[in-house]
Amino acid sequence: MQKLPIRHSKAPRRRRMAVTAVSGIAAGCTVLCPAPAASAHPATADPAPTALTAPPPAPSEDTGNDSGSVRTVTDGDTLWSVAEEVYGTGARWPDLYRASLDGIEKAARSHGLPSDGDGHWIFAGTALRTPAPAAKTSAAPPADAHVARFERRLAQSGYVSQSGTEAVFDLNRRYCEGALFSGMWPNPQSPYIVTNLPEVPGQKANTNPPVTWRMREDEAVVLIGTTPPPEAYFSFDLTMVRGSLNTGPVLWPAVGDPVNRGTVKTAGPTPFGQPFALVITGHERTRAEVHEMLAASGLGGAINDATVPPAMFRLGLGEDADQFLLGIRTAAPEPGSEKALDDYRAAPPLRILRVRPKGASADQTTPVYAPAPLPVPRLRVAGTGATELDLNPSLQKLRQRIIDAHPGFEARDVAMERGFEQSYPGLQSNKVIDPPTPGIGALSNDADDPLSPPFSLPDGSFVVAYGTNHVATRQASYSSISLYADEEAAVSVTAKNHRDLRGTARDYLPGSPDADQLYAWTFSRAGDAGPTGPHVTALPPAGTDFCAQYGADRPVDMSRMQAVARAYMQPETLTHPALSSLLLDRLLVFTPTSKSP
């Protein structure tokens, strides 16, 4: 395979770097992979040098900082991507460059370039020194210390506070136990951490206590803690819930953009495992005062805001006021961080407080401050103009190869389509979730969630999900394909994410240059009579009692299935991909060919 130089750009984080278009280069990409460029070298009379014109350089003998370790450049690497891998943020690429300058320069010259262009070019085989992060010697104070300081400031400022809790909310279990009217298509690879808050003295009772809560007009909800460990995606999603989660239906839109791993402000050098604060309010004066108190508590550079604009949502503690829910998504831990993420979910290092100016009476439902509504914040703009649509011919070839690989079975196409309305249009149209009607069920402005219609999958049959790996195409930071049972119960059965799906299309397209940007995964009830192998998931039989695993007997029709394809946070825009830029995921349902009498 021809190896071309790997280009590094010093553009800011929101403008990702480009690399040369190399066959097979995507196989070495990490979560936020570099994007292929039409030309990775300034136009000259001669072509860009390759590893074929000179052997790969030997590991560098530079004398950089020896307090770290050494990382050898491979196909698909950039200084930014290696810095993300080592430090959790690509912004630290200059540390790698300075520590490895001699080796990087030597490699560039050995490939015929006059210089490395200040780190613009790096080559496979180059040894990079990785200095130990300075944060280890100047760690930020623990989150508990920030909380204690903040609570003292609240008392000194005439505020009153109430503490809540954070815990995983298992939608499958809650459905089986009868607490929810539907599982509502939860992501089985991403258990949701949900905030529980007490009610304000004197308020009207919440509909779904303690997971949903009303907010007084001059109140704030403040989350202080530590961000999750390294992973492909995390976010703090504020949503509005109108209706009963027990009986349904519910109106459930996102309140603005979430704070995610690409936008979060922390007290450390990375988005991962660092102290931070999140302030939720619709009141300008309250926000300003809470910011001052958090800054005085040591979190001045780590304050994130989630605005509840009174122009769109009904604040207050009365019966007609809207209710809110704060959920935390965590998905696809980086290799080596699996246990850390399990520990984070089991005991979230987070403290949640509802805070407000203290009134004179025991009934705390009346605002103390005069109205000062915050405006509706701007949303992050989706889409870059880049699309996956050029992959359509290869996708059609993949479809045919999948069909050809399974003689003895009849194939039926099941099309994926836009599953959920976007939050603000859906809020205005009052589009409720009432499975099998989706409504506003995406719950996050960071995601596109194409959904299949329900289909029958009896014993002896199997379904192949196929499409583009949206992370490999740089349309997402996290993507997955999930299967659900019973269109009304909408409980999750299994899922595979972009890391699981990487390279699976090569089972059917072994020689295709597009194969690594595609995927094909089989979910089977056919046993040994159907497909087998590492890219096949065996499903429980159609007659399985799904809720028995929770000690419950609520019925779930396991023979009826649906699929949801998720695509979260495009790296360039830090919000959902533009739906028009995606090739929608697809399904082929295979049933045994009928035998003639």
Side-chain angles (χ1 to χ4, degrees), residues 405-459:
H406 302 299
F409 290 87
E410 294 180 356
R412 178 170 67 90
D413 289 293
V414 176
M416 304 285 279
E417 57 192 23
R418 178 175 179 171
F420 304 95
E421 179 57 88
Q422 291 183 359
S423 286
Y424 283 174
L427 174 63
Q428 296 173 68
S429 300
N430 202 41
K431 289 190 177 295
V432 298
I433 301 173
D434 192 13
T437 303
I440 317 170
L443 305 184
S444 175
N445 281 350
D446 275 357
D448 288 325
D449 302 78
L451 174 72
S452 79
F455 58 92
S456 178
L457 196 69
D459 291 339

Side-chain angles (χ1 to χ4, degrees), residues 276-303:
F276 80 107
L278 175 66
V279 180
I280 303 169
T281 187
H283 197 277
E284 185 175 17
R285 178 177 172 182
T286 299
R287 172 182 285 181
E289 292 178 350
V290 169
H291 273 229
E292 289 180 5
M293 289 184 274
L294 286 170
S297 305
L299 289 168
I303 302 172

Side-chain angles (χ1 to χ4, degrees), residues 401-542:
R401 293 284 180 85
I402 293 170
I403 294 172
D404 294 344
H406 302 299
F409 290 87
E410 294 180 356
R412 178 170 67 90
D413 289 293
V414 176
M416 304 285 279
E417 57 192 23
R418 178 175 179 171
F420 304 95
E421 179 57 88
Q422 291 183 359
S423 286
Y424 283 174
L427 174 63
Q428 296 173 68
S429 300
N430 202 41
K431 289 190 177 295
V432 298
I433 301 173
D434 192 13
T437 303
I440 317 170
L443 305 184
S444 175
N445 281 350
D446 275 357
D448 288 325
D449 302 78
L451 174 72
S452 79
F455 58 92
S456 178
L457 196 69
D459 291 339
S461 62
F462 60 93
V463 58
V464 181
Y466 68 103
T468 56
N469 185 324
H470 303 302
V471 173
T473 63
R474 289 189 55 78
Q475 288 293 339
S477 299
Y478 166 81
S479 63
S480 65
I481 182 74
S482 304
L483 243 57
Y484 298 85
D486 193 325
E487 55 262 41
E488 293 187 8
V491 292
S492 58
V493 176
T494 187
K496 293 296 175 182
N497 66 42
H498 60 274
R499 293 202 184 105
D500 305 318
L501 302 176
R502 184 181 296 152
T504 56
R506 291 199 172 277
D507 293 350
Y508 303 97
L509 300 173
S512 171
D514 293 333
D516 287 332
Q517 294 184 295
L518 303 172
Y519 80 89
W521 195 278
T522 300
F523 302 95
S524 178
R525 284 194 170 127
D528 292 339
T532 59
H535 303 144
V536 178
T537 296
L539 296 177

Side-chain angles (χ1 to χ4, degrees), residues 99-100 165 174 199 345 362 389 395-396 404 410 469 561 575:
S100 312
T165 60
R174 297 299 180 97
E199 295 177 348
R345 290 167 174 166
L389 302 184
L395 189 68
Q396 297 305 317
D404 294 344
E410 294 180 356
N469 185 324
M561 308 296 288
T575 189

Side-chain angles (χ1 to χ4, degrees), residues 147-158:
V147 173
R149 294 172 189 165
F150 180 62
E151 289 181 317
R152 287 196 296 270
R153 293 283 176 178
L154 286 170
Q156 295 166 3
S157 302

